[in-house]
Amino acid sequence: MQHRGLDNKLRMVACLSMVIACSSHVARGAADSIGERAAILDVNQCRPVYPRAAMQRGEHGVVKMQFTIGANGKLVGSAIVKSSGFRDLDQAALNALIHCRFKPAYRNERPEQSAFVMEYRWDLQ
């Protein structure tokens, strides 16, 4: 029972620790012309779960991931750019992306594929 409250608290902290840095010029949020719109990621749909074993071992760190959103708004692919140093944490962060909902970027009123880099901080505090 005590772990469940801790798990929920950690999930909340984990979700709030996401930092998204866009590598696509359209996704930066600064539209150069009419008809350009940044891709949107709904992080409320893809909250990562702190792996219980990693939590018990006191593992923490930052994982940096790269991922691509297709013109259809679906995740095309993802990869670890920089490991947290712990395989369980890296895999949990990648697994969370599968549950994310995306809206594609638009250029000239047409959806287009865009690439992103995201850092996720696993913190036990």
Side-chain angles (χ1 to χ4, degrees):
M1 296 276 179
Q2 186 177 11
H3 287 295
R4 174 174 271 183
L6 181 60
D7 287 347
N8 289 336
K9 186 175 182 181
L10 288 173
R11 264 186 250 146
M12 181 179 274
V13 169
C15 183
L16 296 174
S17 297
M18 274 191 193
V19 177
I20 300 172
C22 304
S23 61
S24 168
H25 72 281
V26 173
R28 286 189 188 133
D32 295 329
S33 65
I34 294 175
E36 288 191 17
R37 187 173 69 219
I40 298 171
L41 163 63
D42 182 357
V43 295
N44 291 319
Q45 299 297 320
C46 54
R47 294 179 181 158
V49 177
Y50 215 116
R52 184 174 303 278
M55 191 184 325
Q56 291 171 343
R57 291 187 299 263
E59 296 174 354
H60 58 89
V62 177
V63 58
K64 189 174 189 179
M65 302 174 290
Q66 176 181 327
F67 62 98
T68 303
I69 301 170
N72 62 359
K74 301 212 184 244
L75 182 67
V76 173
S78 60
I80 298 293
V81 175
K82 184 178 179 217
S83 173
S84 65
F86 302 100
R87 185 169 28 162
D88 287 349
L89 298 181
D90 294 349
Q91 192 59 52
L94 281 176
N95 289 343
L97 280 177
I98 294 168
H99 302 290
C100 288
R101 291 191 180 158
F102 305 96
K103 290 186 181 178
Y106 278 79
R107 176 181 282 181
N108 297 324
E109 311 272 334
R110 299 184 72 186
E112 71 172 17
Q113 183 168 298
S114 51
F116 298 86
V117 173
M118 177 169 64
E119 289 185 345
Y120 184 78
R121 179 176 308 277
W122 294 99
D123 195 352
L124 290 169
Q125 294 181 1

